[in-house]
Amino acid sequence: MPSLSPYLNATPYQKARYMTRKGNIYSVVPDRAPEEIFETLAESGEVRIERIISDAHASPEGFWYDQDESEWVMVLEGSAGLRFDGEEEVLVSKPGDWVDIPAHVRHRVEWTDPGEKTIWVAVFY
Amino acid sequence: MPSLSPYLNATPYQKARYMTRKGNIYSVVPDRAPEEIFETLAESGEVRIERIISDAHASPEGFWYDQDESEWVMVLEGSAGLRFDGEEEVLVSKPGDWVDIPAHVRHRVEWTDPGEKTIWVAVFY
C-alpha cells in the first residue's frame, strides 16, 4: 500500500525540495486595491521579502515610516515618489529603481502612480 | 571656516541618511559579459542582495549549487532554465518569475537567454 503521506517518509533533502516555492511577481494583480496589498514571498528569522501593490496610495498626511529594520525596496511596475525626512526633493522611482534605506531613516511614500498599479519588491533585514 | 568633513559633525540620523543608497537594476549593463557579473546591492550580517548578469552563461557540466544559505532569486530581464537535482523538468524562468530555494537544495542554471542579457536579483539569507 503506498504511503498516504509521502512527506513523512521523505529524506531531509526531499523535505527541503518540498519547501522550494515559486511565483511570478506580476501575477494575480487585482483590478482594484482599496488598501495596499502586502504579501510575504519568503522569510526567515532575519529577513522578510514582500511584494507590495499600491493603487495610487500614499502615506497618510504627516506619517513617516521609522523602521527597526533596514529596507531594500525596488519598483517593478508603475512609479512612486519617496520623501526622506529633512529633504525637500522627492525621489521619483520608476521600474528598476531601488533604494536601500537604513533602519530609522524616516521616509514616506508621497504618491504612487495614479494610472496603474505600482508593484514593489521589498526586503526587510 | 566650514568643516572639511561634514560627516564628522553629523548626527546619527544624518549618518544613516548618508548610508541610504540607490540605483537602477537595469542600469549600466555591459554590451558583453565574458564572465557572469555579481554585484552586491546591499548586505548585512544575515543577508546579501545581489544583481547578477548572465550573458548566455550556464553552470558548468555536472556542477550543482549546494549553498549554506537560502536564496530567493527572480529574473528581471532575459530568461533562464533552472534544474533541481533529481528532477527531469527544467524550470523556465521569465521576467517576474521568482523561486525561493532552501539551503542545500542542489540546483544549477541549465541555460540563460542566448539573445539578450539575463538580469537577476538574488537575496541570500
Side-chain angles (χ1 to χ4, degrees), chain A residues 2 9 17 28 32 55 62 65 68 71 91 100 103 109 115 122:
Chain A
N9 297 320
R17 274 292 292 119
V28 202
R32 294 271 308 126
D55 188 7
Y65 287 102
D68 291 335
E71 177 182 359
L91 176 66
D100 185 39
V109 178

Side-chain angles (χ1 to χ4, degrees), chain B:
Chain B
M1 185 176 110
S3 168
L4 294 176
S5 179
Y7 187 85
L8 291 176
N9 297 322
T11 66
Y13 181 74
Q14 288 171 324
K15 287 182 184 177
R17 275 293 291 120
Y18 293 149
M19 291 171 63
T20 304
R21 291 180 309 137
K22 59 192 168 82
N24 186 288
I25 204 85
Y26 303 114
S27 70
V28 202
V29 174
D31 284 341
R32 293 271 308 127
E35 306 277 338
E36 280 186 311
I37 297 171
F38 300 84
E39 295 161 281
T40 298
L41 306 180
E43 70 181 322
S44 71
E46 310 94 20
V47 63
R48 188 173 73 264
I49 304 174
E50 285 186 357
R51 175 171 78 158
I52 304 168
I53 300 173
S54 308
D55 188 6
H57 293 95
S59 302
E61 182 80 24
F63 172 85
W64 296 98
Y65 287 101
D66 185 350
Q67 300 171 149
D68 291 336
E69 297 167 299
S70 298
E71 177 181 359
W72 183 91
V73 63
M74 177 167 62
V75 169
L76 289 165
E77 214 168 73
S79 58
L82 293 176
R83 187 186 293 276
F84 292 91
D85 195 8
E87 294 201 1
E88 276 308 300
E89 201 180 343
V90 170
L91 177 66
V92 176
S93 298
K94 300 197 163 170
D97 286 335
W98 59 263
V99 58
D100 185 39
I101 307 170
H104 297 299
V105 167
R106 288 183 295 274
H107 59 283
R108 49 180 276 116
V109 179
E110 208 65 32
W111 52 265
T112 56
D113 205 300
E116 61 175 322
K117 303 296 182 306
T118 296
I119 301 179
W120 319 70
V121 62
V123 181
F124 298 90
Y125 66 98

Side-chain angles (χ1 to χ4, degrees), chain A residues 75-93:
Chain A
V75 169
L76 289 165
E77 214 167 75
S79 58
L82 294 175
R83 187 186 294 274
F84 292 90
D85 194 9
E87 295 201 358
E88 276 309 300
E89 200 180 345
V90 170
L91 176 66
V92 176
S93 296

